[in-house]
Amino acid sequence: MTNPTRPVLVRTPARGVVSPRRLPRWLRAILGVPLEQKVLGANSIVLAIAIALFLSPLSGGNVRWSDMAILFGSLSAGAIVSYLLIKVALKPVKVLEQIAHKVSLGRVSERVPTSLVADPDLALLAATLNTMLDNLAAGRKRMAALAADVVYAQERERSQVAHDLHDSIGQTLAAASFQVAAAANQDNMTDARAQLSSARELLRSSLEEIRNVSRSLHPRVTEDLGLPIALQGLADVTRQRSLIDVRVEVDLRGERVPGGLSATLYRIAQEALRNIEMHADAGNAFVSLSARNGLIELEVSDDGCGMDNALEKMESNPVLGRMRQRLSLAGGELHIHSTRECGTRIIARVRIEKEEGKDQAGEGEAA
């Protein structure tokens, strides 16, 4: 029985590209010389050839030393001027190299200084590099702010869970404990059974509240059944609790929503529907999940009383703020359209990137 072997990928150089190792050592040494020194060396060779021609029999022997001195001085001056011009022109390149090295060490605050002698193309390259560094620094600040928001959101959710456990479940369990203690002290079995039955109902209520808290912490239904079914279940629960007619429409066109993004979109739909229950005074709500060209869009709308200045209220409303934070961490955008007459539309858009390795693996298996 033979052992299967994995195919070995052999990288071949592109046509027309010569590996530096194939060049002679002396040629590699010449190519490694700085450009300004190459130009100076080339001018020196030209000067030597000119002197040799003047002293050769081809000149006819009528060479005057004054002419030779003028030629020698002119060529020497041209070589020196060329060397200095190239050295000055390439100085910004060395500055760029130094800045790139510092940035690679983590010093993103470094910037390329403006040079009056830089070539226009080099000046444009320096400006582009500074813009990239500015965007990198802004991205780091944004990531730091998002990380702080995540920590704050975690602490806030823990505080809310602690509040629910203490005020609701804790009191219910305490009442059940009192019922059990009272039943233990009863001589009449009928009264004891009634108190134990009441304690059992309290315990059942506590169990249901614990399940609700668990669902609020982690929506397992998105992992077990998928986001479309989870949204439909969320709509059913909302309909039973508030009598709002919630309709769900899903059109993913075969697109697969990643697990982490599914939980994020589920949270946004959950908070949007809860916001409709508490503030919109709506009779109907609509949840739409669609996908097109790698763009996932979740829309939650209602026919209730909307709000003016939706963008300003999004900053002050903690529910809408949490939606935006969750979506920002997933790389998406949140849009809110709301009027007093037409209700509110909350749209979450996220672009997902396909993993090339998995796609190629899938194509290989299919082949």
Side-chain angles (χ1 to χ4, degrees):
M1 183 176 180
T2 60
N3 295 327
T5 58
R6 298 180 60 182
V8 179
L9 179 62
V10 179
R11 298 184 181 272
T12 59
R15 292 184 177 179
V17 178
V18 179
S19 175
R21 296 181 179 179
R22 296 184 178 181
L23 299 176
R25 182 175 300 178
W26 62 269
L27 184 57
R28 280 184 287 171
I30 293 177
L31 294 176
V33 175
L35 179 60
E36 63 271 16
Q37 296 182 15
K38 290 178 183 176
V39 173
L40 182 61
N43 288 327
S44 300
I45 294 174
V46 172
L47 178 60
I49 293 175
I51 294 174
L53 290 176
F54 264 90
L55 297 178
S56 67
L58 296 177
S59 61
N62 297 323
V63 179
R64 292 185 300 177
W65 290 103
S66 59
D67 295 339
M68 186 173 179
I70 293 174
L71 178 63
F72 179 79
S74 301
L75 292 176
S76 300
I80 294 174
V81 170
S82 299
Y83 172 79
L84 294 177
L85 285 177
I86 294 177
K87 188 175 182 62
V88 171
L90 292 181
K91 186 176 180 181
V93 177
K94 296 182 179 179
V95 174
L96 286 173
E97 182 181 355
Q98 295 172 359
I99 295 298
H101 177 68
K102 293 178 181 179
V103 171
S104 66
L105 298 178
R107 298 165 59 179
V108 296
S109 60
E110 296 288 340
R111 296 295 182 272
V112 181
T114 304
S115 176
L116 298 178
V117 298
D119 185 79
D121 293 335
L122 292 178
L124 179 60
L125 178 60
T128 304
L129 180 60
N130 286 338
T131 302
M132 292 175 59
L133 293 176
D134 291 339
N135 294 335
L136 178 61
R140 284 196 170 189
K141 290 182 179 179
R142 186 163 55 250
M143 290 300 296
L146 288 175
D149 290 339
V150 170
V151 174
Y152 177 70
Q154 290 176 344
E155 293 299 327
R156 184 174 52 201
E157 289 184 353
R158 291 173 181 175
S159 176
Q160 183 64 36
V161 171
H163 181 271
D164 293 341
L165 291 175
H166 180 271
D167 293 349
S168 178
I169 301 176
Q171 293 180 4
T172 304
L173 291 177
S177 177
F178 292 149
Q179 292 287 351
V180 173
N185 296 326
Q186 285 288 348
D187 295 332
N188 191 338
M189 292 300 298
T190 302
D191 295 338
R193 289 193 183 95
Q195 290 174 337
L196 289 175
S197 177
S198 177
R200 183 176 61 184
E201 291 300 324
L202 290 173
L203 292 175
R204 183 180 301 170
S205 176
S206 297
L207 181 60
E208 185 62 29
E209 290 180 4
I210 291 174
R211 288 175 178 171
N212 291 333
V213 172
S214 176
R215 294 192 194 101
S216 66
L217 288 176
H218 183 64
R220 282 297 303 271
V221 66
T222 59
E223 296 181 1
D224 298 338
L225 302 178
L227 182 59
I229 298 179
L231 292 177
Q232 187 62 57
L234 182 61
D236 295 339
V237 172
T238 304
R239 190 182 302 111
Q240 295 173 4
R241 184 173 56 226
S242 61
L243 300 181
I244 297 176
D245 184 16
V246 182
R247 294 183 296 112
V248 179
E249 180 177 314
V250 177
D251 183 17
L252 292 178
R253 301 187 179 187
E255 194 76 45
R256 179 183 175 275
V257 184
L261 181 58
S262 297
T264 298
L265 295 177
Y266 179 86
R267 291 290 196 189
I268 292 175
Q270 185 182 45
E271 293 177 348
L273 291 176
R274 181 60 62 88
N275 195 52
I276 292 174
E277 290 182 57
M278 298 177 62
H279 305 291
D281 191 21
N284 299 279
F286 179 68
V287 179
S288 172
L289 179 67
S290 60
R292 180 175 299 175
N293 298 328
L295 185 68
I296 305 295
E297 180 177 291
L298 173 70
E299 177 180 344
V300 181
S301 59
D302 64 81
D303 60 355
C305 56
M307 53 184 175
D308 298 328
N309 301 324
L311 294 178
E312 296 180 2
K313 292 194 174 182
M314 185 174 67
E315 299 292 338
S316 58
N317 190 326
V319 175
L320 299 178
R322 284 197 298 269
M323 293 183 192
R324 185 182 61 177
Q325 290 173 1
R326 291 182 185 276
L327 203 57
S328 296
L329 293 175
E333 298 178 352
L334 185 69
H335 303 275
I336 298 179
H337 307 279
S338 182
T339 60
R340 291 289 181 183
E341 297 79 11
C342 301
T344 303
R345 292 173 60 223
I346 298 178
I347 303 174
R349 294 191 181 99
V350 184
R351 182 168 297 280
I352 57 176
E353 300 292 339
K354 293 183 179 181
E355 298 182 9
E356 297 182 359
K358 291 186 177 180
D359 294 342
Q360 294 176 357
E363 293 177 359
E365 291 177 359

Short mmCIF file of all heavy atoms in Angstrom, two decimals, residues 126-174:
data_model
loop_
_atom_site.label_atom_id
_atom_site.label_comp_id
_atom_site.label_asym_id
_atom_site.label_seq_id
_atom_site.Cartn_x
_atom_site.Cartn_y
_atom_site.Cartn_z
N ALA A 126 7.32 60.71 -1.57
CA ALA A 126 7.40 61.06 -0.15
C ALA A 126 6.05 61.49 0.39
O ALA A 126 5.65 61.11 1.50
CB ALA A 126 8.43 62.17 0.04
N ALA A 127 5.30 62.28 -0.39
CA ALA A 127 3.97 62.71 0.04
C ALA A 127 3.02 61.53 0.17
O ALA A 127 2.22 61.44 1.12
CB ALA A 127 3.41 63.73 -0.95
N THR A 128 3.13 60.58 -0.77
CA THR A 128 2.29 59.38 -0.69
C THR A 128 2.62 58.55 0.55
O THR A 128 1.72 58.05 1.24
CB THR A 128 2.49 58.52 -1.95
OG1 THR A 128 2.20 59.31 -3.11
CG2 THR A 128 1.57 57.31 -1.92
N LEU A 129 3.92 58.42 0.86
CA LEU A 129 4.33 57.68 2.05
C LEU A 129 3.83 58.37 3.31
O LEU A 129 3.35 57.70 4.25
CB LEU A 129 5.84 57.55 2.08
CG LEU A 129 6.43 56.80 3.28
CD1 LEU A 129 5.89 55.37 3.34
CD2 LEU A 129 7.95 56.78 3.23
N ASN A 130 3.90 59.70 3.37
CA ASN A 130 3.39 60.42 4.54
C ASN A 130 1.89 60.23 4.69
O ASN A 130 1.38 60.08 5.82
CB ASN A 130 3.71 61.91 4.41
CG ASN A 130 5.18 62.20 4.66
OD1 ASN A 130 5.87 61.42 5.31
ND2 ASN A 130 5.66 63.32 4.15
N THR A 131 1.17 60.21 3.57
CA THR A 131 -0.28 59.98 3.64
C THR A 131 -0.58 58.57 4.16
O THR A 131 -1.49 58.38 4.98
CB THR A 131 -0.91 60.17 2.24
OG1 THR A 131 -0.62 61.48 1.77
CG2 THR A 131 -2.42 59.97 2.30
N MET A 132 0.19 57.59 3.69
CA MET A 132 0.01 56.22 4.18
C MET A 132 0.29 56.14 5.68
O MET A 132 -0.44 55.46 6.42
CB MET A 132 0.93 55.27 3.42
CG MET A 132 0.57 55.10 1.95
SD MET A 132 1.78 54.09 1.05
CE MET A 132 1.70 52.57 2.00
N LEU A 133 1.33 56.83 6.14
CA LEU A 133 1.64 56.82 7.57
C LEU A 133 0.56 57.51 8.37
O LEU A 133 0.23 57.08 9.49
CB LEU A 133 3.00 57.48 7.80
CG LEU A 133 4.22 56.73 7.24
CD1 LEU A 133 5.48 57.54 7.45
CD2 LEU A 133 4.35 55.37 7.92
N ASP A 134 -0.01 58.60 7.83
CA ASP A 134 -1.11 59.27 8.52
C ASP A 134 -2.32 58.34 8.65
O ASP A 134 -2.96 58.27 9.70
CB ASP A 134 -1.51 60.54 7.76
CG ASP A 134 -0.44 61.62 7.84
OD1 ASP A 134 0.39 61.56 8.78
OD2 ASP A 134 -0.43 62.52 6.97
N ASN A 135 -2.62 57.63 7.55
CA ASN A 135 -3.75 56.69 7.60
C ASN A 135 -3.47 55.55 8.57
O ASN A 135 -4.38 55.08 9.28
CB ASN A 135 -4.01 56.13 6.21
CG ASN A 135 -4.50 57.19 5.24
OD1 ASN A 135 -5.06 58.20 5.67
ND2 ASN A 135 -4.29 56.98 3.95
N LEU A 136 -2.20 55.10 8.62
CA LEU A 136 -1.84 54.03 9.55
C LEU A 136 -2.00 54.49 11.00
O LEU A 136 -2.54 53.75 11.84
CB LEU A 136 -0.41 53.57 9.28
CG LEU A 136 0.16 52.48 10.22
CD1 LEU A 136 -0.68 51.21 10.12
CD2 LEU A 136 1.62 52.20 9.88
N ALA A 137 -1.54 55.72 11.29
CA ALA A 137 -1.68 56.24 12.65
C ALA A 137 -3.15 56.43 13.02
O ALA A 137 -3.56 56.10 14.14
CB ALA A 137 -0.93 57.56 12.76
N ALA A 138 -3.94 56.92 12.05
CA ALA A 138 -5.37 57.08 12.32
C ALA A 138 -6.04 55.73 12.54
O ALA A 138 -6.91 55.58 13.41
CB ALA A 138 -6.03 57.82 11.16
N GLY A 139 -5.63 54.73 11.76
CA GLY A 139 -6.19 53.39 11.95
C GLY A 139 -5.84 52.81 13.30
O GLY A 139 -6.67 52.16 13.94
N ARG A 140 -4.61 53.07 13.76
CA ARG A 140 -4.22 52.58 15.10
C ARG A 140 -5.05 53.26 16.18
O ARG A 140 -5.48 52.61 17.14
CB ARG A 140 -2.74 52.84 15.32
CG ARG A 140 -1.83 51.86 14.59
CD ARG A 140 -0.43 51.89 15.15
NE ARG A 140 0.40 50.82 14.65
CZ ARG A 140 1.60 50.53 15.11
NH1 ARG A 140 2.12 51.26 16.09
NH2 ARG A 140 2.30 49.54 14.60
N LYS A 141 -5.26 54.57 16.04
CA LYS A 141 -6.08 55.27 17.03
C LYS A 141 -7.50 54.75 17.02
O LYS A 141 -8.13 54.58 18.07
CB LYS A 141 -6.06 56.77 16.75
CG LYS A 141 -4.72 57.44 17.02
CD LYS A 141 -4.80 58.93 16.76
CE LYS A 141 -3.46 59.61 17.05
NZ LYS A 141 -3.51 61.06 16.77
N ARG A 142 -8.02 54.48 15.81
CA ARG A 142 -9.37 53.97 15.71
C ARG A 142 -9.48 52.57 16.33
O ARG A 142 -10.46 52.26 17.03
CB ARG A 142 -9.80 53.94 14.24
CG ARG A 142 -11.24 53.54 14.02
CD ARG A 142 -11.71 53.94 12.63
NE ARG A 142 -10.84 53.38 11.60
CZ ARG A 142 -10.01 54.10 10.85
NH1 ARG A 142 -9.92 55.40 11.03
NH2 ARG A 142 -9.28 53.53 9.91
N MET A 143 -8.47 51.72 16.09
CA MET A 143 -8.48 50.40 16.69
C MET A 143 -8.37 50.47 18.21
O MET A 143 -9.02 49.69 18.93
CB MET A 143 -7.31 49.57 16.13
CG MET A 143 -7.49 49.18 14.67
SD MET A 143 -8.97 48.18 14.39
CE MET A 143 -8.56 46.73 15.35
N ALA A 144 -7.57 51.42 18.71
CA ALA A 144 -7.47 51.58 20.16
C ALA A 144 -8.80 52.03 20.75
O ALA A 144 -9.22 51.55 21.81
CB ALA A 144 -6.37 52.60 20.50
N ALA A 145 -9.49 52.95 20.04
CA ALA A 145 -10.79 53.40 20.52
C ALA A 145 -11.80 52.26 20.49
O ALA A 145 -12.61 52.10 21.42
CB ALA A 145 -11.28 54.57 19.67
N LEU A 146 -11.76 51.44 19.42
CA LEU A 146 -12.68 50.30 19.35
C LEU A 146 -12.38 49.28 20.44
O LEU A 146 -13.30 48.69 21.02
CB LEU A 146 -12.57 49.64 17.97
CG LEU A 146 -13.18 50.42 16.80
CD1 LEU A 146 -12.90 49.70 15.49
CD2 LEU A 146 -14.68 50.60 16.98
N ALA A 147 -11.09 49.06 20.71
CA ALA A 147 -10.74 48.13 21.79
C ALA A 147 -11.26 48.64 23.13
O ALA A 147 -11.77 47.86 23.96
CB ALA A 147 -9.22 47.95 21.85
N ALA A 148 -11.14 49.96 23.36
CA ALA A 148 -11.69 50.52 24.60
C ALA A 148 -13.20 50.37 24.65
O ALA A 148 -13.78 50.09 25.71
CB ALA A 148 -11.29 51.99 24.72
N ASP A 149 -13.86 50.56 23.50
CA ASP A 149 -15.31 50.39 23.45
C ASP A 149 -15.70 48.94 23.74
O ASP A 149 -16.72 48.68 24.39
CB ASP A 149 -15.85 50.80 22.08
CG ASP A 149 -15.76 52.30 21.86
OD1 ASP A 149 -15.67 53.03 22.87
OD2 ASP A 149 -15.78 52.74 20.70
N VAL A 150 -14.89 48.00 23.24
CA VAL A 150 -15.18 46.58 23.52
C VAL A 150 -15.10 46.29 25.01
O VAL A 150 -15.97 45.62 25.58
CB VAL A 150 -14.21 45.69 22.72
CG1 VAL A 150 -14.33 44.24 23.17
CG2 VAL A 150 -14.50 45.77 21.24
N VAL A 151 -14.03 46.79 25.64
CA VAL A 151 -13.88 46.57 27.08
C VAL A 151 -15.04 47.20 27.84
O VAL A 151 -15.61 46.59 28.76
CB VAL A 151 -12.54 47.14 27.56
CG1 VAL A 151 -12.43 47.04 29.08
CG2 VAL A 151 -11.38 46.38 26.91
N TYR A 152 -15.41 48.42 27.44
CA TYR A 152 -16.52 49.09 28.11
C TYR A 152 -17.83 48.34 27.90
O TYR A 152 -18.64 48.20 28.83
CB TYR A 152 -16.64 50.52 27.58
CG TYR A 152 -17.81 51.29 28.16
CD1 TYR A 152 -17.82 51.70 29.49
CD2 TYR A 152 -18.91 51.60 27.35
CE1 TYR A 152 -18.89 52.38 30.01
CE2 TYR A 152 -19.98 52.29 27.87
CZ TYR A 152 -19.97 52.68 29.19
OH TYR A 152 -21.05 53.36 29.71
N ALA A 153 -18.04 47.85 26.66
CA ALA A 153 -19.27 47.09 26.38
C ALA A 153 -19.31 45.80 27.18
O ALA A 153 -20.37 45.40 27.69
CB ALA A 153 -19.36 46.80 24.88
N GLN A 154 -18.16 45.12 27.32
CA GLN A 154 -18.12 43.90 28.12
C GLN A 154 -18.46 44.18 29.58
O GLN A 154 -19.24 43.44 30.20
CB GLN A 154 -16.75 43.25 28.01
CG GLN A 154 -16.46 42.64 26.65
CD GLN A 154 -15.05 42.08 26.56
OE1 GLN A 154 -14.19 42.40 27.39
NE2 GLN A 154 -14.79 41.26 25.55
N GLU A 155 -17.88 45.24 30.12
CA GLU A 155 -18.17 45.59 31.52
C GLU A 155 -19.64 45.97 31.69
O GLU A 155 -20.26 45.63 32.69
CB GLU A 155 -17.27 46.73 31.96
CG GLU A 155 -15.80 46.36 32.05
CD GLU A 155 -15.56 45.25 33.05
OE1 GLU A 155 -16.28 45.18 34.07
OE2 GLU A 155 -14.65 44.42 32.81
N ARG A 156 -20.19 46.67 30.69
CA ARG A 156 -21.59 47.07 30.79
C ARG A 156 -22.50 45.85 30.71
O ARG A 156 -23.50 45.76 31.45
CB ARG A 156 -21.91 48.04 29.65
CG ARG A 156 -23.31 48.61 29.69
CD ARG A 156 -23.45 49.67 28.62
NE ARG A 156 -23.03 49.13 27.33
CZ ARG A 156 -22.66 49.90 26.31
NH1 ARG A 156 -22.62 51.20 26.44
NH2 ARG A 156 -22.31 49.36 25.16
N GLU A 157 -22.18 44.89 29.84
CA GLU A 157 -23.00 43.69 29.76
C GLU A 157 -22.88 42.86 31.04
O GLU A 157 -23.87 42.29 31.51
CB GLU A 157 -22.58 42.86 28.54
CG GLU A 157 -22.97 43.49 27.22
CD GLU A 157 -22.64 42.61 26.04
OE1 GLU A 157 -21.97 41.58 26.27
OE2 GLU A 157 -23.03 42.94 24.91
N ARG A 158 -21.67 42.78 31.60
CA ARG A 158 -21.51 42.08 32.87
C ARG A 158 -22.31 42.74 33.97
O ARG A 158 -22.92 42.07 34.82
CB ARG A 158 -20.03 42.02 33.25
CG ARG A 158 -19.19 41.12 32.35
CD ARG A 158 -17.73 41.24 32.67
NE ARG A 158 -16.91 40.40 31.80
CZ ARG A 158 -15.59 40.39 31.80
NH1 ARG A 158 -14.92 41.19 32.63
NH2 ARG A 158 -14.92 39.61 30.97
N SER A 159 -22.32 44.08 33.97
CA SER A 159 -23.10 44.80 34.97
C SER A 159 -24.58 44.52 34.80
O SER A 159 -25.31 44.34 35.79
CB SER A 159 -22.82 46.30 34.86
OG SER A 159 -23.63 47.03 35.75
N GLN A 160 -25.04 44.47 33.53
CA GLN A 160 -26.44 44.19 33.29
C GLN A 160 -26.80 42.76 33.72
O GLN A 160 -27.86 42.54 34.32
CB GLN A 160 -26.74 44.37 31.80
CG GLN A 160 -28.21 44.17 31.42
CD GLN A 160 -29.11 45.18 32.07
OE1 GLN A 160 -28.74 46.34 32.23
NE2 GLN A 160 -30.30 44.75 32.47
N VAL A 161 -25.91 41.81 33.42
CA VAL A 161 -26.17 40.43 33.85
C VAL A 161 -26.20 40.32 35.37
O VAL A 161 -27.07 39.65 35.95
CB VAL A 161 -25.11 39.49 33.25
CG1 VAL A 161 -25.22 38.09 33.85
CG2 VAL A 161 -25.25 39.41 31.74
N ALA A 162 -25.25 40.99 36.03
CA ALA A 162 -25.24 40.98 37.50
C ALA A 162 -26.52 41.60 38.06
O ALA A 162 -27.08 41.11 39.05
CB ALA A 162 -24.01 41.73 38.01
N HIS A 163 -26.99 42.67 37.40
CA HIS A 163 -28.23 43.31 37.85
C HIS A 163 -29.41 42.36 37.69
O HIS A 163 -30.26 42.24 38.58
CB HIS A 163 -28.45 44.59 37.05
CG HIS A 163 -29.68 45.36 37.43
ND1 HIS A 163 -30.91 45.13 36.86
CD2 HIS A 163 -29.86 46.33 38.37
CE1 HIS A 163 -31.80 45.93 37.39
NE2 HIS A 163 -31.19 46.68 38.31
N ASP A 164 -29.48 41.67 36.54
CA ASP A 164 -30.58 40.73 36.31
C ASP A 164 -30.53 39.57 37.31
O ASP A 164 -31.57 39.15 37.83
CB ASP A 164 -30.52 40.20 34.88
CG ASP A 164 -30.79 41.28 33.85
OD1 ASP A 164 -31.37 42.32 34.23
OD2 ASP A 164 -30.40 41.09 32.67
N LEU A 165 -29.33 39.04 37.55
CA LEU A 165 -29.20 37.92 38.47
C LEU A 165 -29.61 38.32 39.89
O LEU A 165 -30.26 37.56 40.62
CB LEU A 165 -27.77 37.39 38.46
CG LEU A 165 -27.32 36.68 37.17
CD1 LEU A 165 -25.85 36.31 37.27
CD2 LEU A 165 -28.16 35.44 36.92
N HIS A 166 -29.22 39.53 40.29
CA HIS A 166 -29.48 39.96 41.66
C HIS A 166 -30.94 40.37 41.87
O HIS A 166 -31.58 39.94 42.84
CB HIS A 166 -28.55 41.13 42.02
CG HIS A 166 -28.75 41.63 43.42
ND1 HIS A 166 -29.66 42.63 43.72
CD2 HIS A 166 -28.17 41.27 44.59
CE1 HIS A 166 -29.62 42.87 45.02
NE2 HIS A 166 -28.74 42.06 45.57
N ASP A 167 -31.46 41.18 40.96
CA ASP A 167 -32.79 41.75 41.18
C ASP A 167 -33.92 40.81 40.79
O ASP A 167 -34.99 40.85 41.41
CB ASP A 167 -32.95 43.05 40.38
CG ASP A 167 -32.02 44.14 40.91
OD1 ASP A 167 -31.44 43.95 41.98
OD2 ASP A 167 -31.88 45.17 40.23
N SER A 168 -33.72 39.99 39.80
CA SER A 168 -34.81 39.14 39.33
C SER A 168 -34.65 37.71 39.81
O SER A 168 -35.45 37.20 40.61
CB SER A 168 -34.88 39.19 37.80
OG SER A 168 -35.91 38.34 37.33
N ILE A 169 -33.59 37.04 39.35
CA ILE A 169 -33.41 35.63 39.68
C ILE A 169 -33.11 35.47 41.16
O ILE A 169 -33.61 34.54 41.81
CB ILE A 169 -32.29 35.04 38.82
CG1 ILE A 169 -32.63 35.19 37.34
CG2 ILE A 169 -32.06 33.58 39.16
CD1 ILE A 169 -31.55 34.72 36.40
N GLY A 170 -32.31 36.36 41.72
CA GLY A 170 -31.98 36.25 43.15
C GLY A 170 -33.22 36.36 44.03
O GLY A 170 -33.38 35.59 44.99
N GLN A 171 -34.08 37.31 43.71
CA GLN A 171 -35.30 37.47 44.53
C GLN A 171 -36.24 36.28 44.36
O GLN A 171 -36.88 35.84 45.33
CB GLN A 171 -36.00 38.76 44.12
CG GLN A 171 -35.22 40.02 44.47
CD GLN A 171 -35.94 41.28 44.06
OE1 GLN A 171 -37.06 41.23 43.57
NE2 GLN A 171 -35.28 42.42 44.25
N THR A 172 -36.32 35.76 43.14
CA THR A 172 -37.20 34.60 42.91
C THR A 172 -36.70 33.39 43.68
O THR A 172 -37.49 32.64 44.30
CB THR A 172 -37.27 34.29 41.41
OG1 THR A 172 -37.71 35.44 40.70
CG2 THR A 172 -38.25 33.15 41.15
N LEU A 173 -35.38 33.16 43.65
CA LEU A 173 -34.82 32.03 44.39
C LEU A 173 -35.00 32.23 45.90
O LEU A 173 -35.23 31.25 46.64
CB LEU A 173 -33.34 31.86 44.04
CG LEU A 173 -33.03 31.39 42.61
CD1 LEU A 173 -31.53 31.35 42.38
CD2 LEU A 173 -33.65 30.02 42.36
N ALA A 174 -34.87 33.46 46.36
CA ALA A 174 -35.08 33.72 47.78
C ALA A 174 -36.53 33.42 48.18
O ALA A 174 -36.79 32.83 49.24
CB ALA A 174 -34.73 35.17 48.11
#
